């Protein structure tokens, strides 16, 4: 396993962040590197990973510094998470998906959120999912 040296202040900050997130300091660094990596080294974006004819809408949420990408189905209201630690999970509503994300990253707070405002469209506009609510 490769070794990275950091100063004592950075090591303490990494340990604190890891404790808060319930992960290891190495996982904190890995997440930071993944988020800062150029697009060509990351997972496919929601639009790249969908088959032709898929009517789902690419959405995302930023919570506690973590990006979660998902696909919203306007016909059913379902949200399928396609990146991050909850990748592969499907939720009946945007609010239940938001609750799952919050509970995963910060289980000590209430997960009650309005998923329609928690998620944003991934079309570059930054508009909340609410703007396309059926």
């Amino acid at each position: 396993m490769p070794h990275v040296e950091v100063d004592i202040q950075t090591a303490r900050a990494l340990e604190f962040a890891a404790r808060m997130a319930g992960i290891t300091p190495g996982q904190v660094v890995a997440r930071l590197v993944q988020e800062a990596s150029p697009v060509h080294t990351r997972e496919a974006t929601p639009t790249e990973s969908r088959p032709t004819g898929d009517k789902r809408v690419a959405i995302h949420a930023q919570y506690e510094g973590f990006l979660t990408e998902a696909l919203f189905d306007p016909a059913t209201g379902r949200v399928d998470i396609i990146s991050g630690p909850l990748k592969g999970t499907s939720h009946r509503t945007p609010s239940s998906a938001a609750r799952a994300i919050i509970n995963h990253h910060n289980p000590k707070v209430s997960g009650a959120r309005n998923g329609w405002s928690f998620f944003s469209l991934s079309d570059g506009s930054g508009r909340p999912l609410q703007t396309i609510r059926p």
Side-chain angles (χ1 to χ4, degrees):
M1 179 72 63
H3 178 78
V4 176
E5 290 187 35
V6 295
D7 61 65
I8 192 72
Q9 269 187 310
T10 303
R12 287 182 180 150
L14 284 170
E15 289 170 5
F16 176 74
R19 271 196 316 276
M20 295 302 293
I23 59 178
T24 68
Q27 289 171 314
V28 171
V29 173
R31 286 182 181 181
L32 290 170
V33 169
Q34 180 183 6
E35 288 181 17
S37 295
V39 174
H40 68 275
T41 63
R42 294 175 53 199
E43 290 181 32
T45 63
T47 53
E48 292 170 344
S49 62
R50 290 187 296 163
T52 305
D54 189 341
K55 302 285 189 211
R56 294 178 295 173
V57 177
I59 60 175
H60 67 276
Q62 285 274 357
Y63 183 74
E64 296 285 319
F66 297 100
L67 173 68
T68 301
E69 296 171 305
L71 296 170
F72 170 71
D73 187 335
T76 64
R78 292 197 77 80
V79 172
D80 299 317
I81 298 179
I82 62 170
S83 75
L86 298 176
K87 180 180 180 177
T89 61
S90 184
H91 303 271
R92 195 173 59 79
T93 66
S95 294
S96 66
R99 197 168 24 260
I101 292 167
I102 293 164
N103 288 338
H104 177 80
H105 291 297
N106 196 352
K108 294 181 181 179
V109 301
S110 168
R113 294 291 189 285
N114 178 341
W116 295 99
S117 58
F118 184 80
F119 285 98
S120 299
L121 301 178
S122 295
D123 61 1
S125 71
R127 295 180 301 151
L129 179 57
Q130 173 70 35
T131 60
I132 64 163
R133 189 173 189 171

